[in-house]
Amino acid sequence: MIEYFIHKNNIGDSWVDFVKSHPRGNSFQMSLFYEFYIHTSEFRPFYCVAKDSNSKKLLGGFLFVIQRKSKRIPDRFFRRSLIVGGPLIPTNREKILDGLLKVYADFTKHKAIYSEIRNLHSWSHQIDVFLKNGFKYEAHLNYQIPLTNRDVEASFSKSKRRQIKKAISNGAKIIENPNIEQVNQFYKILADLYRTKINKPLPDWHFFESFYNNVVQKGHGKYLLVHFDGRIVGGIMLPIYQHKMVYEWYVAGLDHEYKQAYPSVLATWAGIKFAMDNEFTGFDFMGAGVPSHSYGVREFKSKFGGRILNYGRFTNSHYKVFHWFIKMFLKLFSKNA
């Protein structure tokens, strides 16, 4: 028999061992990320797990978080549940996946307006399980750079190689181990970018501070910042998973104000270089937009020579009217910003 549970507290070592031994294990499913999220002001983490009723062995599961507020929309109208890089199940065990999704939906439907699963792997063979549990598949692109046995920088576009060399020759430097005050300067650049150009919700400072304290300080993440002309002008935030993958979670730079430093280009290069220098097997750009929509960020990421992927995302509207309202509100806000 298989039992399914929602855990509100950190599971601990058994979950760590399970994720590390799973072929689809990733940073965002590690129990370390539970500790990271629990110290933020906007996110509450949970586990949805399947166990053998006799041996109590973990058979599958995933870490998910409920984001509880948005500065643009009242809290009661904006609660979404995010699953990044999960679920983790045994090969060809669709029954376990089905059970997990049922328990998850029953728990989440009264706590979030909608759910979103951000895939780091293909679910093409199990898509029917998601569909019958109320999820819809949406195409969503990504870039990954394999780092084993290849000249990575040679695959960059000529313009990006030139910009990197020019930025370094102009005096831009990478700070590899910034302090919390320098990370806060990077956050302010990022917050301004999201407010004035991207027009999407960005977690508050506590999110980035907790990442520094609970992930970076424990060796499972990095902030790499660009320093130029006496100040921080850009940077990148990187979860890292064992010696397998480095993930680009957030990146930003004062590209207009400091054109000669190419801060966004240099920050991205710094993340890729860190992955190469430390013998990781891949660098993941964590998203490149919807295929049918033009997206400047996708064009930017494509210049670094990665392979384009379409693992897509799954969404489930628990309150369809509110979910529609949120999408329309954010779309309108974006157009008018």
Side-chain angles (χ1 to χ4, degrees):
M1 291 286 293
I2 301 174
E3 298 176 320
Y4 300 91
F5 303 91
I6 298 293
H7 282 276
K8 299 181 180 180
N9 298 315
N10 202 348
I11 298 176
D13 292 342
S14 61
W15 181 257
V16 172
D17 294 339
F18 172 74
V19 174
K20 285 185 176 180
S21 65
H22 198 282
R24 292 188 171 186
N26 58 81
S27 290
F28 305 95
Q29 288 297 308
M30 291 289 286
S31 61
L32 186 79
F33 266 62
Y34 179 97
E35 293 299 323
F36 153 58
Y37 281 118
I38 205 71
H39 288 93
T40 67
S41 59
E42 295 182 24
F43 296 86
R44 178 66 196 277
F46 303 88
Y47 295 95
C48 181
V49 300
K51 293 182 179 180
D52 183 283
S53 58
N54 295 318
S55 67
K56 303 303 178 183
K57 178 183 177 182
L58 274 169
L59 301 176
F62 53 88
L63 173 68
F64 66 98
V65 294
I66 294 178
Q67 187 176 3
R68 294 176 288 182
K69 69 176 183 176
S70 168
K71 293 180 180 179
R72 297 176 183 169
I73 302 173
D75 180 52
R76 66 183 181 276
F77 294 125
F78 187 89
R79 292 189 183 187
R80 63 177 180 178
S81 181
L82 300 175
I83 304 168
V84 182
L88 305 178
I89 62 169
T91 304
N92 298 323
R93 294 295 297 273
E94 286 81 3
K95 181 180 178 181
I96 292 178
L97 176 61
D98 183 60
L100 287 168
L101 293 178
K102 281 181 167 58
V103 171
Y104 165 79
D106 187 61
F107 176 82
T108 309
K109 65 184 179 183
H110 300 300
K111 295 177 173 59
I113 302 301
Y114 71 98
S115 294
E116 183 174 279
I117 302 176
R118 298 181 178 179
N119 298 321
L120 298 179
H121 304 276
S122 173
W123 286 98
S124 59
H125 297 300
Q126 292 88 11
I127 191 168
D128 288 345
V129 182
F130 290 94
L131 297 179
K132 80 173 187 176
N133 280 283
F135 286 87
K136 293 182 179 179
Y137 175 82
E138 298 178 351
H140 202 277
L141 301 176
N142 187 27
Y143 279 97
Q144 282 186 1
I145 302 177
L147 299 177
T148 55
N149 301 319
R150 64 194 298 258
D151 187 353
V152 175
E153 292 187 27
S155 65
F156 291 2
S157 70
K158 290 182 180 179
S159 63
K160 289 293 172 280
R161 293 200 301 270
R162 182 177 67 251
Q163 290 165 3
I164 292 165
K165 290 179 180 179
K166 189 173 181 180
I168 294 172
S169 66
N170 286 337
K173 299 183 182 300
I174 301 299
I175 299 179
E176 297 185 358
N177 295 295
N179 59 42
I180 192 65
E181 290 78 15
Q182 291 170 321
V183 172
N184 184 256
Q185 293 175 48
F186 164 62
Y187 168 73
K188 290 177 180 177
I189 295 171
L190 190 65
D192 184 67
L193 175 68
Y194 270 70
R195 183 178 62 253
T196 60
K197 294 182 180 180
I198 296 180
N199 302 311
K200 292 181 180 180
L202 178 74
D204 64 18
W205 163 242
H206 297 290
F207 178 90
F208 296 87
E209 183 182 38
S210 181
F211 186 82
Y212 181 87
N213 292 329
N214 296 289
V215 181
V216 173
Q217 296 291 74
K218 295 178 181 178
H220 294 272
K222 290 286 292 185
Y223 280 110
L224 299 172
L225 305 186
V226 180
H227 187 270
F228 182 75
D229 197 25
R231 63 167 296 185
I232 300 299
V233 298
I236 190 168
M237 175 180 174
L238 304 166
I240 60 179
Y241 182 64
Q242 300 188 67
H243 272 284
K244 296 181 180 179
M245 191 68 70
V246 173
Y247 302 92
E248 177 192 285
W249 210 357
Y250 289 98
V251 63
L254 297 173
D255 298 317
H256 180 73
E257 297 90 332
Y258 296 92
K259 295 180 180 179
Q260 64 271 48
Y262 300 98
S264 292
V265 174
L266 201 62
T268 303
W269 169 79
I272 298 170
K273 188 175 185 299
F274 168 82
M276 290 189 298
D277 290 347
N278 290 276
E279 299 182 345
F280 285 82
T281 59
F283 183 89
D284 192 311
F285 279 96
M286 292 292 292
V290 179
S292 58
H293 298 163
S294 60
Y295 189 44
V297 175
R298 179 166 65 242
E299 178 68 17
F300 175 85
K301 293 178 178 181
S302 72
K303 302 301 183 182
F304 291 91
R307 59 183 182 184
I308 194 164
L309 305 168
N310 187 3
Y311 295 144
R313 293 177 176 178
F314 292 106
T315 59
N316 190 341
S317 297
H318 306 300
Y319 294 90
K320 290 183 171 57
V321 174
F322 283 156
H323 190 195
W324 178 87
F325 168 77
I326 290 170
K327 291 191 290 185
M328 292 301 102
F329 181 88
L330 292 177
K331 185 176 181 180
L332 181 64
F333 187 94
S334 178
K335 287 182 177 179
N336 293 333

